[in-house]
């Protein structure tokens, strides 16, 4: 069953199932690792040994352990927790329940192929691609495997959405360095507006845009020549021509690019004629990447809300955006995409930013924190937006409406909960739980585990702070000391200096004694963090079900679904929230 075929009531029922499970388990996810030993967290939550928990993960969730209460009446449990003590007594029951209350266990997600089939319906022949351009780029030639997988998978869905809705414009919110925007325009011939809050990203995207325009012309010329060659050989007409960067930059079509631009794309210190052929091949594969990526050590400026911008900064951004629009018009419709600088909220008037905006699809690839729910609010409120495809991330940066700490959060703009259904229930996750939702179960399951060393050091440091310093609950942060430390003693001394505390009151042997004492209990922390990883998909599932529920509550949204776009091993935040307006073309359910 596809998620689009679920009614609002059925989605609410799934939310209730996950919420009921998390009511008894989310306290594990909210336990702070820093306080693991000072609060004796293991004893607080667990009535099983850490060895039993780790063995259960090794054997799999379907493997049952030996009964622990032979000849006795077993304790009454809910999801493996004793009803009387609220401590975990059955790890296998918990693991099975966690799997059942994740998105795959609930069965509410569409696959990417199911969505594409539904979008194309009867309009497209089976297997037809929505590409406007016959030549096919291979993004793995100029992106790392993760980014290539994400861009390729998402761009085909976005292109299918545009064709289904009959639009040619895309608004990419949080566009960053412009990978998705550039590929959508170059591969599918779409008019893409990339909006990012970072002026550095926008400036870099503008420079890449200039180079990619020339690349695009050379690309099209080479593709046409390749098709002509195939036709002369009586090749099948439907064969796709695949173009690699070196074909354009060094082939017959390279004449469209000046020597200066070819050198500006490639490393300036490389002389291809003087290098070995293998080094030349490697350079060619990296050429397009160098055209699209900025210096990785360049700092990204923080997002600043419009209310905090000075009048001069607002005027400067407005002037720069107008200049970019004018330049884009002068250079014609061949622009790869138009990068704009703006801090986007649900109230942002897109037509104030984009005068040429008609009807468009709203997209966002790994939009952080509140930006993802803001996109959905914007989609619902703006008539010019026909569809939305949003992949969120950084759940720990979400603002929560029912935060008991009393942090300021306006009712209309809080990131969670988004749906009226969960708002009516005043549901609250907690920052640590939302941070746990960012953990990658699939990667941990394959041995790409949590870095226990830094967590263990920090927890033992907290014991030292409690025993010897009155300011152990200080708001000051230790920061990334672990990566620089050569030993536990060195770590503690660096951390104490970072916290502006006197480290001379402790000898090296005093510090090492703490390490030796708690090292025997390190398995407790390892097992506990594995339980956090197990709960991660359930917490993420509730956040995403809340977003799906929000779309289903809207009268002007005719189709909404959660879609697994990516391989979770390559891209752990793999789910997209997809919606189409009622006046958009219908899709086959």
């Amino acid at each position: 069953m596809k998620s689009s075929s679920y009614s609002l009531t059925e989605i609410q029922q799934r939310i209730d199932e996950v919420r009921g499970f998390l009511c008894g388990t989310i306290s594990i996810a909210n336990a702070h690792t820093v306080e693991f030993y000072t609060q004796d967290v293991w004893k607080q939550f667990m009535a099983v040994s850490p060895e039993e928990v780790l063995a259960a993960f090794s054997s799999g969730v379907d493997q049952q352990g030996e009964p622990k209460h032979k000849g006795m009446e077993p304790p009454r449990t809910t999801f493996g927790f004793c009803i009387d003590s609220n401590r975990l007594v059955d790890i296998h029951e918990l693991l099975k329940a966690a799997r059942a209350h994740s998105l795959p266990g609930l069965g509410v997600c569409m696959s990417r192929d199911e969505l594409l089939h539904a979008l194309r319906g009867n309009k497209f022949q089976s297997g037809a691609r929505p590409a406007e351009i016959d030549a096919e780029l291979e993004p793995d030639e100029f992106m790392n495997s993760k980014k290539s997988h994400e861009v390729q998978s998402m761009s085909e869905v976005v292109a299918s959405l545009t064709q289904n809705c009959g639009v040619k414009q895309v608004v990419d919110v949080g566009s960053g360095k412009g990978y998705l925007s550039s590929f959508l325009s170059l591969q599918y011939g779409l008019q893409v507006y990339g909006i990012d809050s970072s002026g550095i990203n926008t400036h870099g995207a503008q420079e890449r845009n200039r180079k990619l325009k020339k690349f695009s012309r050379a690309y099209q010329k080479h593709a046409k020549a390749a098709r002509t060659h195939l036709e002369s050989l009586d090749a099948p007409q439907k064969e796709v021509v695949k173009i690699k960067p070196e074909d354009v930059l060094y082939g017959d079509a390279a004449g469209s690019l000046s020597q200066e631009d070819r050198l500006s794309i490639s490393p300036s210190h490389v002389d291809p004629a003087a290098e070995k052929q293998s080094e030349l091949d490697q350079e060619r594969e990296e050429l397009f990447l160098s055209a699209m990526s900025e210096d990785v050590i360049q700092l990204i400026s923080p997002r600043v809300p419009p209310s905090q911008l000075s009048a001069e900064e607002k005027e400067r951004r407005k002037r720069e955006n107008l200049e970019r629009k004018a330049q884009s018009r002068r250079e014609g419709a061949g622009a790869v995409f138009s990068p704009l600088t703006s801090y986007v909220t649900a109230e942002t008037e897109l037509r104030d930013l984009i005068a040429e905006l008609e009807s468009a699809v709203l997209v966002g690839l790994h939009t952080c924190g509140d930006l993802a729910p803001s996109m959905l609010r914007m989609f619902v409120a703006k008539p010019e937006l026909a569809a939305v495809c949003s992949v969120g991330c950084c759940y720990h940066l979400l603002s929560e409406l029912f935060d008991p700490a009393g942090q300021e959060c306006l009712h209309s703009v809080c990131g969670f909960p988004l749906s009226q259904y969960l708002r009516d229930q005043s549901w609250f996750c907690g920052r640590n739980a939302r941070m746990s939702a960012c953990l990658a179960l699939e990667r941990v399951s394959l041995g790409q585990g949590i870095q226990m060393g830094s967590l263990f050091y920090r927890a033992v440091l907290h014991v030292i702070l409690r025993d010897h310093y009155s300011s152990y609950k200080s708001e000051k942060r230790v920061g990334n000391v672990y990566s620089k430390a050569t030993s536990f003693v060195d770590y503690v001394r660096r951390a104490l200096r970072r916290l502006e505390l006197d480290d001379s009151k402790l000898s090296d042997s005093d510090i090492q004694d703490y390490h030796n004492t708690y090292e025997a209990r390190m398995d407790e922390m390892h097992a506990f963090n594995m339980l956090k990883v197990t709960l991660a998909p359930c917490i993420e599932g509730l956040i995403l079900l809340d977003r799906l529920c929000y779309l289903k509550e809207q009268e002007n949204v005719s189709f909404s679904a959660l879609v697994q776009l990516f391989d979770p091993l390559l891209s752990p935040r793999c789910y997209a929230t997809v919606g189409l307006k009622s006046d958009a073309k219908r899709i086959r359910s």
Side-chain angles (χ1 to χ4, degrees):
M1 179 180 289
K2 301 180 178 68
S3 107
S4 61
S5 64
Y6 281 98
S7 67
L8 172 60
T9 300
E10 289 171 322
I11 292 300
Q12 291 171 344
Q13 289 173 348
R14 298 300 185 276
I15 288 176
D16 288 342
E17 292 174 19
V18 179
R19 191 172 56 88
F21 172 68
L22 290 177
C23 278
T25 58
I26 200 168
S27 55
I28 291 177
N30 271 318
H32 206 305
T33 307
V34 167
E35 301 172 335
F36 189 78
Y37 297 121
T38 57
Q39 299 293 327
D40 205 356
V41 170
W42 184 264
K43 186 177 180 180
Q44 180 181 346
F45 290 102
M46 302 292 141
V48 294
S49 68
E51 292 79 14
E52 186 176 348
V53 172
L54 294 174
F57 280 101
S58 299
S59 62
V61 298
D62 293 326
Q63 195 77 23
Q64 293 297 318
E66 291 292 327
K68 297 183 62 176
H69 303 275
K70 294 181 180 179
M72 301 172 55
E73 182 179 351
R76 296 177 302 149
T77 62
T78 301
F79 305 127
F81 286 84
C82 176
I83 294 176
D84 298 322
S85 68
N86 291 324
R87 298 170 71 198
L88 182 66
V89 296
D90 191 334
I91 177 60
H92 294 282
E93 184 180 348
L94 174 62
L95 295 182
K96 290 180 68 174
R99 186 174 65 173
H101 291 90
S102 65
L103 288 179
L106 294 169
V108 295
C109 291
M110 298 179 77
S111 70
R112 176 177 170 275
D113 288 343
E114 287 173 334
L115 176 65
L116 289 173
H117 181 73
L119 285 172
R120 293 166 188 175
N122 294 321
K123 180 178 179 180
F124 304 103
Q125 297 179 354
S126 176
R129 300 179 70 250
E132 293 289 332
I133 299 172
D134 294 334
E136 180 181 336
L137 278 174
E138 296 187 71
D140 56 334
E141 296 285 347
F142 48 83
M143 300 181 199
N144 63 43
S145 59
K146 178 180 182 293
K147 183 60 66 178
S148 171
H149 172 65
E150 293 166 352
V151 168
Q152 208 164 13
S153 297
M154 189 168 182
S155 62
E156 187 173 1
V157 168
V158 174
S160 294
L161 284 169
T162 61
Q163 288 206 351
N164 184 275
C165 298
V167 303
K168 294 288 293 180
Q169 294 181 334
V170 174
V171 178
D172 183 4
V173 175
S175 55
K177 293 179 170 61
Y179 289 110
L180 178 64
S181 296
S182 297
F183 192 80
L184 280 169
S185 184
L186 191 59
Q187 180 65 31
Y188 294 101
L190 296 169
Q191 187 177 6
V192 186
Y193 299 95
I195 305 176
D196 196 88
S197 65
S198 168
I200 293 177
N201 277 346
T202 304
H203 176 75
Q206 185 180 19
E207 177 60 19
R208 286 188 297 279
N209 194 24
R210 182 189 69 81
K211 296 176 182 178
L212 286 171
K213 288 173 188 175
K214 296 187 176 182
F215 179 91
S216 179
R217 288 193 289 269
Y219 166 83
Q220 293 297 321
K221 182 176 180 180
H222 188 87
K224 182 178 180 180
R227 287 195 301 272
T228 302
H229 179 66
L230 284 176
E231 291 170 0
S232 69
L233 298 177
D234 198 25
Q237 295 297 310
K238 293 184 179 180
E239 183 174 350
V240 177
V241 180
K242 294 188 177 183
I243 307 298
K244 296 182 179 181
E246 63 264 31
D247 296 330
V248 177
L249 294 171
Y250 291 93
D252 293 337
S256 300
L257 292 175
S258 68
Q259 179 68 14
E260 178 183 358
D261 281 307
R262 284 203 295 275
L263 291 175
S264 69
I265 293 175
S266 61
S268 60
H269 62 279
V270 174
D271 178 9
E275 298 294 323
K276 296 179 181 179
Q277 185 63 39
S278 60
E279 294 174 337
L280 177 59
D281 291 341
Q282 181 180 2
E283 179 202 8
R284 289 175 174 177
E285 291 177 0
E286 295 174 352
L287 289 175
F288 199 89
L289 175 62
S290 67
M292 295 182 67
S293 64
E294 285 194 67
D295 188 347
V296 294
I297 65 171
Q298 199 167 25
L299 296 177
I300 301 300
S301 58
R303 294 178 59 185
V304 180
S307 60
Q308 298 180 17
L309 293 175
S310 65
E312 291 78 7
E313 176 64 13
K314 290 180 180 178
E315 181 61 29
R316 185 187 66 79
R317 290 191 176 190
K318 181 178 179 180
R319 184 173 62 254
E320 287 183 352
N321 286 338
L322 290 174
E323 289 173 356
R324 290 190 192 98
K325 292 176 184 178
Q327 182 178 356
S328 187
R329 283 192 293 268
R330 288 194 301 270
E331 295 178 354
V336 172
F337 78 102
S338 302
L340 305 170
T341 301
S342 179
Y343 181 89
V344 176
T345 68
E347 289 74 32
T348 299
E349 290 296 337
L350 292 176
R351 287 200 164 112
D352 288 346
L353 294 174
I354 309 168
E356 303 87 352
L357 187 64
E358 298 172 356
S359 186
V361 172
L362 184 68
V363 303
L365 174 55
H366 290 154
T367 48
C368 291
D370 286 345
L371 186 55
S374 291
M375 281 183 60
L376 299 183
R377 288 192 177 99
M378 183 185 296
F379 162 67
V380 169
K382 311 297 182 186
E384 64 267 26
L385 298 177
V388 64
C389 182
S390 168
V391 181
C393 67
C394 303
Y395 302 128
H396 61 292
L397 297 179
L398 282 171
S399 59
E400 292 201 59
L401 178 59
F402 301 104
D403 186 348
Q407 297 179 356
E408 293 185 7
C409 179
L410 298 177
H411 186 278
S412 61
V413 297
C414 272
F416 182 85
L418 184 62
S419 68
Q420 191 60 47
Y421 186 69
L422 270 183
R423 289 189 170 212
D424 289 343
Q425 299 176 51
S426 302
W427 181 259
F428 171 72
C429 278
R431 187 178 189 276
N432 288 340
R434 288 183 279 107
M435 187 171 291
S436 295
C438 299
L439 298 172
L441 175 61
E442 291 81 8
R443 289 183 175 180
V444 174
S445 299
L446 290 184
Q448 303 174 22
I450 303 170
Q451 299 299 317
M452 289 303 303
S454 60
L455 297 176
F456 174 71
Y457 275 22
R458 184 62 183 88
V460 179
L461 170 67
H462 208 61
V463 178
I464 295 175
L465 293 174
R466 179 198 63 185
D467 292 351
H468 298 280
Y469 300 91
S470 60
S471 58
Y472 81 100
K473 291 186 178 180
S474 170
E475 293 298 320
K476 295 179 181 178
R477 298 190 178 275
V478 172
N480 186 23
V481 174
Y482 179 80
S483 63
K484 303 172 184 177
T486 58
S487 66
F488 179 71
V489 172
D490 184 38
Y491 170 85
V492 171
R493 296 204 180 281
R494 286 174 178 268
L496 291 175
R497 290 193 292 269
R498 178 71 66 86
L499 296 172
E500 299 179 355
L501 298 174
D502 180 13
D503 68 315
S504 65
K505 64 193 302 184
L506 294 174
S507 67
D508 287 356
S509 61
D510 290 336
I511 296 174
Q512 189 62 39
D513 284 345
Y514 276 95
H515 178 277
N516 297 341
T517 298
Y518 285 95
E519 188 175 26
R521 297 179 57 187
M522 193 170 180
D523 277 351
E524 292 179 3
M525 179 177 284
H526 186 194
F528 195 82
N529 278 287
M530 290 300 292
L531 292 177
K532 282 192 170 189
V533 172
T534 300
L535 296 175
C538 307
I539 302 168
E540 179 182 35
L542 183 65
I543 293 171
L544 295 180
L545 283 171
D546 172 58
R547 295 174 184 178
L548 177 60
C549 185
Y550 170 77
L551 290 183
K552 290 192 175 295
E553 291 172 345
Q554 311 306 316
E555 293 183 357
N556 64 340
V557 177
S558 61
F559 171 88
S560 56
L562 291 178
V563 184
Q564 183 176 334
L565 285 189
F566 312 136
D567 180 345
L569 285 174
L570 283 174
S571 183
R573 305 280 75 79
C574 61
Y575 295 104
T577 306
V578 177
L580 283 86
K581 290 281 182 62
S582 301
D583 54 356
K585 298 181 181 180
R586 297 184 61 85
I587 75 169
R588 180 165 52 186
S589 61

